[in-house]
Amino acid sequence: MNSFTYSYPTKVYFGEKAATKNLPAELAKTGKTVMLAYGGDSIKKNGIYDELVGILKEAGKEIAEFTGIMSNPTYVKVQEGARLAKEKNVGFILAVGGGSVIDCCKIVSAQAKSDTDIWKMEFDEHRFPMAFIPMGAVVTAFGTGAEMNCGAVITHEEKNLKNGVMGAFYDFAILDPEYTMTMPMNQVISGAFDSLSHSMETYMGSPREVNYSDEINEATQRNIIRNIRAMLINPADRQPRSELVWAAAMAENGILKFGKVTDFQCHMLEHQLGAYTDCNHGRGLAVLHPMLYRHMIPEANRQFARLAAEVWGVSPDGKSEAELAESFITALSDFIKEIGLPTTLTEMGIADIDLEAIAKSTIRTDGCVKKFTDEELLAVLKECI
């Protein structure tokens, strides 16, 4: 393993009635005006909005609502939130939703404390924000694990770029699996696959020999696979969702990344696909992963072979490393079909797009075992059509 320093700032409240039990004490530490940030009307329909507004009012807070955060949050939306935060003198942000809302608010928190455009600061001046509005997250849609880190995926529509931007850590995160029970099943599966993708992308990084972080990762992947299947069998069962909520957090709280330079090449490719199409992130990953992995043979054979045996239960008896590696990709592809995710871009309604521009604008990651060229990424995208 590589050297690392670990310190984690986000307190996690996990379990039933976590908001009711813990939010009042956290709000007692905050300023007078709280920005309540969310996406659409779903939290109003399922009662979460009324519950949280009641807690905020009971705590004597003034509420500034920041609504309409879209599934792939844009930089324009970030700036809207930052302006609102400044105008209302917001002292605390409560983000309620899934990864999109949670990501958007990380950058709102930073932009509201800076007169410099955050995109320019990070990508042109190569420095990061140091002042933030304090925040808390109430997770209602799991998968991204966004509440567990300071990175945010934001789409800059003018530049046709969907990039990771560094913002604030959340002071606390409330993970009540009950809040996720009204999520549409297609959204649940998409989010859960994103968690699996995070785990695989971390696992496929370097160093590539077996290490403790990877062994924890293998257990996380097995847990996600098992509980996706259990959830599909019995959607009303709270236990699988409870497991998946925590697995999503584990996949992105840094523990699986100790001593690793991660891969995330598939995520970078999907981000640019999303920048050009505004497609669903988890579904895009499901299409891209098997195709991209086939292009990583034979460089990644050792890790593919271990995943086949340790995660997917493929017997290594009588199989070469190359055969086991192929077995992993086959098992992953079959699972994607089994859980009803798309296997082609056509299934996602994506056809007439500039694949060459997507390939050329994709970030190349240091941790990937294969250093992809524009031509190779273009070939992957064409095979996904």
Side-chain angles (χ1 to χ4, degrees), residues 99-133:
S100 299
V101 173
I102 292 169
D103 272 4
C104 184
C105 289
K106 292 176 188 177
I107 313 306
V108 168
S109 167
Q111 186 65 84
K113 288 288 189 177
S114 177
D115 293 328
T116 302
D117 180 273
I118 295 295
W119 200 280
K120 179 181 179 181
M121 178 191 294
E122 296 197 15
F123 296 105
D124 294 340
E125 300 175 2
H126 305 292
R127 58 189 182 92
F128 297 105
M130 301 300 291
F132 310 97
I133 297 175

PDB file of all heavy atoms in Angstrom, residues 99-133:
ATOM      1  N   GLY A  99     -27.272  12.457  -4.764  1.00  0.00           N
ATOM      2  CA  GLY A  99     -25.965  12.982  -5.095  1.00  0.00           C
ATOM      3  C   GLY A  99     -25.977  14.316  -5.805  1.00  0.00           C
ATOM      4  O   GLY A  99     -25.080  15.144  -5.603  1.00  0.00           O
ATOM      5  N   SER A 100     -26.980  14.565  -6.625  1.00  0.00           N
ATOM      6  CA  SER A 100     -27.008  15.820  -7.391  1.00  0.00           C
ATOM      7  C   SER A 100     -27.177  17.025  -6.483  1.00  0.00           C
ATOM      8  O   SER A 100     -26.461  18.018  -6.594  1.00  0.00           O
ATOM      9  CB  SER A 100     -28.134  15.771  -8.429  1.00  0.00           C
ATOM     10  OG  SER A 100     -27.920  14.716  -9.347  1.00  0.00           O
ATOM     11  N   VAL A 101     -28.149  16.949  -5.576  1.00  0.00           N
ATOM     12  CA  VAL A 101     -28.380  18.046  -4.629  1.00  0.00           C
ATOM     13  C   VAL A 101     -27.168  18.214  -3.724  1.00  0.00           C
ATOM     14  O   VAL A 101     -26.686  19.330  -3.478  1.00  0.00           O
ATOM     15  CB  VAL A 101     -29.641  17.778  -3.791  1.00  0.00           C
ATOM     16  CG1 VAL A 101     -29.784  18.825  -2.687  1.00  0.00           C
ATOM     17  CG2 VAL A 101     -30.887  17.777  -4.674  1.00  0.00           C
ATOM     18  N   ILE A 102     -26.658  17.096  -3.231  1.00  0.00           N
ATOM     19  CA  ILE A 102     -25.541  17.122  -2.285  1.00  0.00           C
ATOM     20  C   ILE A 102     -24.284  17.677  -2.951  1.00  0.00           C
ATOM     21  O   ILE A 102     -23.553  18.472  -2.363  1.00  0.00           O
ATOM     22  CB  ILE A 102     -25.329  15.711  -1.712  1.00  0.00           C
ATOM     23  CG1 ILE A 102     -26.520  15.341  -0.813  1.00  0.00           C
ATOM     24  CG2 ILE A 102     -24.039  15.623  -0.923  1.00  0.00           C
ATOM     25  CD1 ILE A 102     -26.572  13.882  -0.403  1.00  0.00           C
ATOM     26  N   ASP A 103     -24.021  17.280  -4.189  1.00  0.00           N
ATOM     27  CA  ASP A 103     -22.872  17.805  -4.927  1.00  0.00           C
ATOM     28  C   ASP A 103     -23.015  19.301  -5.195  1.00  0.00           C
ATOM     29  O   ASP A 103     -22.080  20.088  -5.001  1.00  0.00           O
ATOM     30  CB  ASP A 103     -22.706  17.067  -6.253  1.00  0.00           C
ATOM     31  CG  ASP A 103     -21.842  15.823  -6.129  1.00  0.00           C
ATOM     32  OD1 ASP A 103     -21.437  15.479  -5.001  1.00  0.00           O
ATOM     33  OD2 ASP A 103     -21.564  15.190  -7.161  1.00  0.00           O
ATOM     34  N   CYS A 104     -24.168  19.695  -5.684  1.00  0.00           N
ATOM     35  CA  CYS A 104     -24.394  21.101  -6.024  1.00  0.00           C
ATOM     36  C   CYS A 104     -24.112  22.002  -4.830  1.00  0.00           C
ATOM     37  O   CYS A 104     -23.434  23.029  -4.952  1.00  0.00           O
ATOM     38  CB  CYS A 104     -25.837  21.282  -6.508  1.00  0.00           C
ATOM     39  SG  CYS A 104     -26.241  22.954  -7.064  1.00  0.00           S
ATOM     40  N   CYS A 105     -24.580  21.585  -3.655  1.00  0.00           N
ATOM     41  CA  CYS A 105     -24.437  22.430  -2.469  1.00  0.00           C
ATOM     42  C   CYS A 105     -22.993  22.531  -1.990  1.00  0.00           C
ATOM     43  O   CYS A 105     -22.612  23.536  -1.385  1.00  0.00           O
ATOM     44  CB  CYS A 105     -25.331  21.909  -1.345  1.00  0.00           C
ATOM     45  SG  CYS A 105     -27.091  22.187  -1.660  1.00  0.00           S
ATOM     46  N   LYS A 106     -22.176  21.520  -2.261  1.00  0.00           N
ATOM     47  CA  LYS A 106     -20.754  21.609  -1.899  1.00  0.00           C
ATOM     48  C   LYS A 106     -20.093  22.806  -2.575  1.00  0.00           C
ATOM     49  O   LYS A 106     -19.241  23.484  -1.982  1.00  0.00           O
ATOM     50  CB  LYS A 106     -20.016  20.333  -2.335  1.00  0.00           C
ATOM     51  CG  LYS A 106     -20.399  19.081  -1.590  1.00  0.00           C
ATOM     52  CD  LYS A 106     -19.670  17.887  -2.201  1.00  0.00           C
ATOM     53  CE  LYS A 106     -20.157  16.572  -1.641  1.00  0.00           C
ATOM     54  NZ  LYS A 106     -19.502  15.413  -2.282  1.00  0.00           N
ATOM     55  N   ILE A 107     -20.470  23.058  -3.817  1.00  0.00           N
ATOM     56  CA  ILE A 107     -19.851  24.148  -4.566  1.00  0.00           C
ATOM     57  C   ILE A 107     -20.552  25.473  -4.270  1.00  0.00           C
ATOM     58  O   ILE A 107     -19.910  26.524  -4.234  1.00  0.00           O
ATOM     59  CB  ILE A 107     -19.839  23.843  -6.073  1.00  0.00           C
ATOM     60  CG1 ILE A 107     -19.341  22.410  -6.313  1.00  0.00           C
ATOM     61  CG2 ILE A 107     -18.937  24.826  -6.812  1.00  0.00           C
ATOM     62  CD1 ILE A 107     -17.992  22.105  -5.673  1.00  0.00           C
ATOM     63  N   VAL A 108     -21.859  25.435  -4.028  1.00  0.00           N
ATOM     64  CA  VAL A 108     -22.564  26.636  -3.564  1.00  0.00           C
ATOM     65  C   VAL A 108     -21.906  27.140  -2.286  1.00  0.00           C
ATOM     66  O   VAL A 108     -21.651  28.345  -2.114  1.00  0.00           O
ATOM     67  CB  VAL A 108     -24.058  26.330  -3.315  1.00  0.00           C
ATOM     68  CG1 VAL A 108     -24.722  27.480  -2.559  1.00  0.00           C
ATOM     69  CG2 VAL A 108     -24.787  26.072  -4.631  1.00  0.00           C
ATOM     70  N   SER A 109     -21.613  26.213  -1.380  1.00  0.00           N
ATOM     71  CA  SER A 109     -20.989  26.542  -0.099  1.00  0.00           C
ATOM     72  C   SER A 109     -19.666  27.277  -0.290  1.00  0.00           C
ATOM     73  O   SER A 109     -19.348  28.232   0.442  1.00  0.00           O
ATOM     74  CB  SER A 109     -20.750  25.251   0.694  1.00  0.00           C
ATOM     75  OG  SER A 109     -19.900  25.472   1.792  1.00  0.00           O
ATOM     76  N   ALA A 110     -18.894  26.837  -1.278  1.00  0.00           N
ATOM     77  CA  ALA A 110     -17.598  27.463  -1.554  1.00  0.00           C
ATOM     78  C   ALA A 110     -17.749  28.774  -2.318  1.00  0.00           C
ATOM     79  O   ALA A 110     -17.124  29.785  -1.979  1.00  0.00           O
ATOM     80  CB  ALA A 110     -16.719  26.499  -2.347  1.00  0.00           C
ATOM     81  N   GLN A 111     -18.595  28.757  -3.367  1.00  0.00           N
ATOM     82  CA  GLN A 111     -18.734  29.952  -4.206  1.00  0.00           C
ATOM     83  C   GLN A 111     -19.310  31.127  -3.424  1.00  0.00           C
ATOM     84  O   GLN A 111     -18.941  32.287  -3.658  1.00  0.00           O
ATOM     85  CB  GLN A 111     -19.616  29.639  -5.413  1.00  0.00           C
ATOM     86  CG  GLN A 111     -19.715  30.768  -6.423  1.00  0.00           C
ATOM     87  CD  GLN A 111     -18.386  31.069  -7.098  1.00  0.00           C
ATOM     88  OE1 GLN A 111     -18.014  30.424  -8.063  1.00  0.00           O
ATOM     89  NE2 GLN A 111     -17.659  32.062  -6.586  1.00  0.00           N
ATOM     90  N   ALA A 112     -20.203  30.847  -2.489  1.00  0.00           N
ATOM     91  CA  ALA A 112     -20.812  31.923  -1.701  1.00  0.00           C
ATOM     92  C   ALA A 112     -19.810  32.629  -0.799  1.00  0.00           C
ATOM     93  O   ALA A 112     -20.059  33.752  -0.345  1.00  0.00           O
ATOM     94  CB  ALA A 112     -21.954  31.360  -0.853  1.00  0.00           C
ATOM     95  N   LYS A 113     -18.673  32.007  -0.566  1.00  0.00           N
ATOM     96  CA  LYS A 113     -17.635  32.585   0.296  1.00  0.00           C
ATOM     97  C   LYS A 113     -16.461  33.145  -0.509  1.00  0.00           C
ATOM     98  O   LYS A 113     -15.442  33.514   0.072  1.00  0.00           O
ATOM     99  CB  LYS A 113     -17.122  31.525   1.273  1.00  0.00           C
ATOM    100  CG  LYS A 113     -18.094  31.171   2.378  1.00  0.00           C
ATOM    101  CD  LYS A 113     -18.197  32.313   3.387  1.00  0.00           C
ATOM    102  CE  LYS A 113     -18.990  31.928   4.607  1.00  0.00           C
ATOM    103  NZ  LYS A 113     -19.023  33.015   5.611  1.00  0.00           N
ATOM    104  N   SER A 114     -16.591  33.186  -1.838  1.00  0.00           N
ATOM    105  CA  SER A 114     -15.480  33.650  -2.668  1.00  0.00           C
ATOM    106  C   SER A 114     -15.985  34.581  -3.763  1.00  0.00           C
ATOM    107  O   SER A 114     -17.045  34.357  -4.344  1.00  0.00           O
ATOM    108  CB  SER A 114     -14.752  32.461  -3.308  1.00  0.00           C
ATOM    109  OG  SER A 114     -13.726  32.904  -4.172  1.00  0.00           O
ATOM    110  N   ASP A 115     -15.204  35.608  -4.045  1.00  0.00           N
ATOM    111  CA  ASP A 115     -15.522  36.508  -5.157  1.00  0.00           C
ATOM    112  C   ASP A 115     -14.929  36.019  -6.470  1.00  0.00           C
ATOM    113  O   ASP A 115     -15.214  36.574  -7.535  1.00  0.00           O
ATOM    114  CB  ASP A 115     -14.984  37.916  -4.853  1.00  0.00           C
ATOM    115  CG  ASP A 115     -15.706  38.577  -3.689  1.00  0.00           C
ATOM    116  OD1 ASP A 115     -16.912  38.298  -3.513  1.00  0.00           O
ATOM    117  OD2 ASP A 115     -15.066  39.345  -2.949  1.00  0.00           O
ATOM    118  N   THR A 116     -14.093  34.978  -6.399  1.00  0.00           N
ATOM    119  CA  THR A 116     -13.489  34.400  -7.598  1.00  0.00           C
ATOM    120  C   THR A 116     -14.355  33.271  -8.119  1.00  0.00           C
ATOM    121  O   THR A 116     -14.845  32.451  -7.338  1.00  0.00           O
ATOM    122  CB  THR A 116     -12.077  33.852  -7.288  1.00  0.00           C
ATOM    123  OG1 THR A 116     -11.274  34.906  -6.768  1.00  0.00           O
ATOM    124  CG2 THR A 116     -11.426  33.283  -8.538  1.00  0.00           C
ATOM    125  N   ASP A 117     -14.565  33.206  -9.406  1.00  0.00           N
ATOM    126  CA  ASP A 117     -15.301  32.109 -10.024  1.00  0.00           C
ATOM    127  C   ASP A 117     -14.589  30.790  -9.688  1.00  0.00           C
ATOM    128  O   ASP A 117     -13.393  30.631  -9.965  1.00  0.00           O
ATOM    129  CB  ASP A 117     -15.345  32.314 -11.537  1.00  0.00           C
ATOM    130  CG  ASP A 117     -16.086  31.208 -12.248  1.00  0.00           C
ATOM    131  OD1 ASP A 117     -15.446  30.188 -12.581  1.00  0.00           O
ATOM    132  OD2 ASP A 117     -17.294  31.357 -12.470  1.00  0.00           O
ATOM    133  N   ILE A 118     -15.329  29.869  -9.081  1.00  0.00           N
ATOM    134  CA  ILE A 118     -14.707  28.636  -8.589  1.00  0.00           C
ATOM    135  C   ILE A 118     -14.127  27.802  -9.732  1.00  0.00           C
ATOM    136  O   ILE A 118     -13.056  27.193  -9.591  1.00  0.00           O
ATOM    137  CB  ILE A 118     -15.722  27.801  -7.783  1.00  0.00           C
ATOM    138  CG1 ILE A 118     -16.132  28.552  -6.508  1.00  0.00           C
ATOM    139  CG2 ILE A 118     -15.153  26.429  -7.424  1.00  0.00           C
ATOM    140  CD1 ILE A 118     -15.016  28.766  -5.518  1.00  0.00           C
ATOM    141  N   TRP A 119     -14.801  27.766 -10.857  1.00  0.00           N
ATOM    142  CA  TRP A 119     -14.289  27.000 -12.002  1.00  0.00           C
ATOM    143  C   TRP A 119     -12.938  27.564 -12.450  1.00  0.00           C
ATOM    144  O   TRP A 119     -11.982  26.825 -12.688  1.00  0.00           O
ATOM    145  CB  TRP A 119     -15.288  27.010 -13.151  1.00  0.00           C
ATOM    146  CG  TRP A 119     -15.076  25.909 -14.149  1.00  0.00           C
ATOM    147  CD1 TRP A 119     -14.155  25.897 -15.159  1.00  0.00           C
ATOM    148  CD2 TRP A 119     -15.766  24.665 -14.228  1.00  0.00           C
ATOM    149  NE1 TRP A 119     -14.244  24.727 -15.873  1.00  0.00           N
ATOM    150  CE2 TRP A 119     -15.222  23.944 -15.325  1.00  0.00           C
ATOM    151  CE3 TRP A 119     -16.809  24.079 -13.504  1.00  0.00           C
ATOM    152  CZ2 TRP A 119     -15.693  22.685 -15.699  1.00  0.00           C
ATOM    153  CZ3 TRP A 119     -17.270  22.832 -13.875  1.00  0.00           C
ATOM    154  CH2 TRP A 119     -16.708  22.145 -14.955  1.00  0.00           C
ATOM    155  N   LYS A 120     -12.880  28.879 -12.556  1.00  0.00           N
ATOM    156  CA  LYS A 120     -11.618  29.528 -12.924  1.00  0.00           C
ATOM    157  C   LYS A 120     -10.553  29.276 -11.867  1.00  0.00           C
ATOM    158  O   LYS A 120      -9.388  28.980 -12.185  1.00  0.00           O
ATOM    159  CB  LYS A 120     -11.848  31.023 -13.104  1.00  0.00           C
ATOM    160  CG  LYS A 120     -10.576  31.797 -13.469  1.00  0.00           C
ATOM    161  CD  LYS A 120     -10.862  33.282 -13.611  1.00  0.00           C
ATOM    162  CE  LYS A 120      -9.590  34.052 -13.952  1.00  0.00           C
ATOM    163  NZ  LYS A 120      -9.834  35.513 -14.072  1.00  0.00           N
ATOM    164  N   MET A 121     -10.939  29.365 -10.608  1.00  0.00           N
ATOM    165  CA  MET A 121      -9.995  29.150  -9.518  1.00  0.00           C
ATOM    166  C   MET A 121      -9.338  27.775  -9.610  1.00  0.00           C
ATOM    167  O   MET A 121      -8.111  27.643  -9.511  1.00  0.00           O
ATOM    168  CB  MET A 121     -10.721  29.277  -8.168  1.00  0.00           C
ATOM    169  CG  MET A 121      -9.828  29.020  -6.952  1.00  0.00           C
ATOM    170  SD  MET A 121     -10.775  28.865  -5.410  1.00  0.00           S
ATOM    171  CE  MET A 121     -11.425  30.519  -5.221  1.00  0.00           C
ATOM    172  N   GLU A 122     -10.166  26.753  -9.828  1.00  0.00           N
ATOM    173  CA  GLU A 122      -9.660  25.383  -9.768  1.00  0.00           C
ATOM    174  C   GLU A 122      -8.978  24.936 -11.058  1.00  0.00           C
ATOM    175  O   GLU A 122      -7.934  24.275 -11.011  1.00  0.00           O
ATOM    176  CB  GLU A 122     -10.790  24.426  -9.396  1.00  0.00           C
ATOM    177  CG  GLU A 122     -11.343  24.688  -7.997  1.00  0.00           C
ATOM    178  CD  GLU A 122     -12.159  23.546  -7.437  1.00  0.00           C
ATOM    179  OE1 GLU A 122     -12.085  22.424  -7.982  1.00  0.00           O
ATOM    180  OE2 GLU A 122     -12.879  23.775  -6.442  1.00  0.00           O
ATOM    181  N   PHE A 123      -9.546  25.308 -12.203  1.00  0.00           N
ATOM    182  CA  PHE A 123      -9.042  24.757 -13.456  1.00  0.00           C
ATOM    183  C   PHE A 123      -8.059  25.671 -14.190  1.00  0.00           C
ATOM    184  O   PHE A 123      -7.267  25.189 -15.000  1.00  0.00           O
ATOM    185  CB  PHE A 123     -10.205  24.373 -14.368  1.00  0.00           C
ATOM    186  CG  PHE A 123     -11.056  23.269 -13.793  1.00  0.00           C
ATOM    187  CD1 PHE A 123     -12.300  23.545 -13.252  1.00  0.00           C
ATOM    188  CD2 PHE A 123     -10.591  21.966 -13.763  1.00  0.00           C
ATOM    189  CE1 PHE A 123     -13.073  22.530 -12.702  1.00  0.00           C
ATOM    190  CE2 PHE A 123     -11.358  20.950 -13.213  1.00  0.00           C
ATOM    191  CZ  PHE A 123     -12.603  21.231 -12.680  1.00  0.00           C
ATOM    192  N   ASP A 124      -8.111  26.966 -13.900  1.00  0.00           N
ATOM    193  CA  ASP A 124      -7.163  27.893 -14.525  1.00  0.00           C
ATOM    194  C   ASP A 124      -6.043  28.293 -13.563  1.00  0.00           C
ATOM    195  O   ASP A 124      -4.877  28.319 -13.932  1.00  0.00           O
ATOM    196  CB  ASP A 124      -7.888  29.151 -15.021  1.00  0.00           C
ATOM    197  CG  ASP A 124      -8.858  28.851 -16.152  1.00  0.00           C
ATOM    198  OD1 ASP A 124      -8.719  27.791 -16.804  1.00  0.00           O
ATOM    199  OD2 ASP A 124      -9.773  29.673 -16.370  1.00  0.00           O
ATOM    200  N   GLU A 125      -6.417  28.594 -12.327  1.00  0.00           N
ATOM    201  CA  GLU A 125      -5.425  29.039 -11.346  1.00  0.00           C
ATOM    202  C   GLU A 125      -4.867  27.886 -10.515  1.00  0.00           C
ATOM    203  O   GLU A 125      -3.897  28.063  -9.784  1.00  0.00           O
ATOM    204  CB  GLU A 125      -6.062  30.089 -10.431  1.00  0.00           C
ATOM    205  CG  GLU A 125      -6.558  31.320 -11.179  1.00  0.00           C
ATOM    206  CD  GLU A 125      -7.286  32.307 -10.276  1.00  0.00           C
ATOM    207  OE1 GLU A 125      -7.378  32.044  -9.051  1.00  0.00           O
ATOM    208  OE2 GLU A 125      -7.763  33.335 -10.794  1.00  0.00           O
ATOM    209  N   HIS A 126      -5.509  26.721 -10.607  1.00  0.00           N
ATOM    210  CA  HIS A 126      -5.047  25.506  -9.934  1.00  0.00           C
ATOM    211  C   HIS A 126      -4.901  25.683  -8.418  1.00  0.00           C
ATOM    212  O   HIS A 126      -3.921  25.303  -7.805  1.00  0.00           O
ATOM    213  CB  HIS A 126      -3.729  25.013 -10.543  1.00  0.00           C
ATOM    214  CG  HIS A 126      -3.804  24.806 -12.020  1.00  0.00           C
ATOM    215  ND1 HIS A 126      -4.568  23.809 -12.590  1.00  0.00           N
ATOM    216  CD2 HIS A 126      -3.235  25.501 -13.050  1.00  0.00           C
ATOM    217  CE1 HIS A 126      -4.458  23.879 -13.902  1.00  0.00           C
ATOM    218  NE2 HIS A 126      -3.676  24.896 -14.210  1.00  0.00           N
ATOM    219  N   ARG A 127      -5.923  26.278  -7.848  1.00  0.00           N
ATOM    220  CA  ARG A 127      -5.994  26.375  -6.397  1.00  0.00           C
ATOM    221  C   ARG A 127      -7.429  26.070  -5.969  1.00  0.00           C
ATOM    222  O   ARG A 127      -8.344  26.054  -6.799  1.00  0.00           O
ATOM    223  CB  ARG A 127      -5.561  27.756  -5.895  1.00  0.00           C
ATOM    224  CG  ARG A 127      -6.356  28.915  -6.460  1.00  0.00           C
ATOM    225  CD  ARG A 127      -5.730  30.253  -6.082  1.00  0.00           C
ATOM    226  NE  ARG A 127      -6.510  31.373  -6.590  1.00  0.00           N
ATOM    227  CZ  ARG A 127      -7.471  31.981  -5.902  1.00  0.00           C
ATOM    228  NH1 ARG A 127      -7.769  31.573  -4.666  1.00  0.00           N
ATOM    229  NH2 ARG A 127      -8.134  32.997  -6.431  1.00  0.00           N
ATOM    230  N   PHE A 128      -7.607  25.806  -4.675  1.00  0.00           N
ATOM    231  CA  PHE A 128      -8.900  25.331  -4.203  1.00  0.00           C
ATOM    232  C   PHE A 128      -9.470  26.276  -3.147  1.00  0.00           C
ATOM    233  O   PHE A 128      -8.723  26.957  -2.436  1.00  0.00           O
ATOM    234  CB  PHE A 128      -8.765  23.922  -3.614  1.00  0.00           C
ATOM    235  CG  PHE A 128      -8.316  22.916  -4.627  1.00  0.00           C
ATOM    236  CD1 PHE A 128      -7.013  22.437  -4.624  1.00  0.00           C
ATOM    237  CD2 PHE A 128      -9.188  22.443  -5.591  1.00  0.00           C
ATOM    238  CE1 PHE A 128      -6.591  21.516  -5.564  1.00  0.00           C
ATOM    239  CE2 PHE A 128      -8.781  21.523  -6.533  1.00  0.00           C
ATOM    240  CZ  PHE A 128      -7.480  21.061  -6.520  1.00  0.00           C
ATOM    241  N   PRO A 129     -10.789  26.333  -3.039  1.00  0.00           N
ATOM    242  CA  PRO A 129     -11.408  27.214  -2.044  1.00  0.00           C
ATOM    243  C   PRO A 129     -11.061  26.778  -0.623  1.00  0.00           C
ATOM    244  O   PRO A 129     -10.890  25.599  -0.345  1.00  0.00           O
ATOM    245  CB  PRO A 129     -12.911  27.054  -2.323  1.00  0.00           C
ATOM    246  CG  PRO A 129     -13.043  25.743  -3.018  1.00  0.00           C
ATOM    247  CD  PRO A 129     -11.784  25.578  -3.814  1.00  0.00           C
ATOM    248  N   MET A 130     -10.983  27.738   0.270  1.00  0.00           N
ATOM    249  CA  MET A 130     -10.607  27.467   1.662  1.00  0.00           C
ATOM    250  C   MET A 130     -11.679  27.914   2.659  1.00  0.00           C
ATOM    251  O   MET A 130     -11.578  27.615   3.847  1.00  0.00           O
ATOM    252  CB  MET A 130      -9.285  28.165   1.987  1.00  0.00           C
ATOM    253  CG  MET A 130      -8.115  27.733   1.112  1.00  0.00           C
ATOM    254  SD  MET A 130      -7.750  25.965   1.248  1.00  0.00           S
ATOM    255  CE  MET A 130      -7.112  25.906   2.923  1.00  0.00           C
ATOM    256  N   ALA A 131     -12.689  28.627   2.205  1.00  0.00           N
ATOM    257  CA  ALA A 131     -13.760  29.097   3.086  1.00  0.00           C
ATOM    258  C   ALA A 131     -15.093  28.554   2.581  1.00  0.00           C
ATOM    259  O   ALA A 131     -15.351  28.524   1.368  1.00  0.00           O
ATOM    260  CB  ALA A 131     -13.780  30.628   3.119  1.00  0.00           C
ATOM    261  N   PHE A 132     -15.957  28.132   3.508  1.00  0.00           N
ATOM    262  CA  PHE A 132     -17.210  27.473   3.135  1.00  0.00           C
ATOM    263  C   PHE A 132     -18.320  27.837   4.121  1.00  0.00           C
ATOM    264  O   PHE A 132     -18.057  28.105   5.299  1.00  0.00           O
ATOM    265  CB  PHE A 132     -17.051  25.946   3.145  1.00  0.00           C
ATOM    266  CG  PHE A 132     -15.853  25.443   2.393  1.00  0.00           C
ATOM    267  CD1 PHE A 132     -14.670  25.151   3.058  1.00  0.00           C
ATOM    268  CD2 PHE A 132     -15.904  25.271   1.017  1.00  0.00           C
ATOM    269  CE1 PHE A 132     -13.561  24.685   2.376  1.00  0.00           C
ATOM    270  CE2 PHE A 132     -14.798  24.813   0.318  1.00  0.00           C
ATOM    271  CZ  PHE A 132     -13.625  24.520   0.997  1.00  0.00           C
ATOM    272  N   ILE A 133     -19.554  27.790   3.636  1.00  0.00           N
ATOM    273  CA  ILE A 133     -20.710  27.827   4.530  1.00  0.00           C
ATOM    274  C   ILE A 133     -20.871  26.421   5.107  1.00  0.00           C
ATOM    275  O   ILE A 133     -20.870  25.446   4.363  1.00  0.00           O
ATOM    276  CB  ILE A 133     -21.989  28.235   3.772  1.00  0.00           C
ATOM    277  CG1 ILE A 133     -21.859  29.654   3.221  1.00  0.00           C
ATOM    278  CG2 ILE A 133     -23.210  28.137   4.695  1.00  0.00           C
ATOM    279  CD1 ILE A 133     -23.039  30.085   2.358  1.00  0.00           C
TER     280      ILE A 133
END
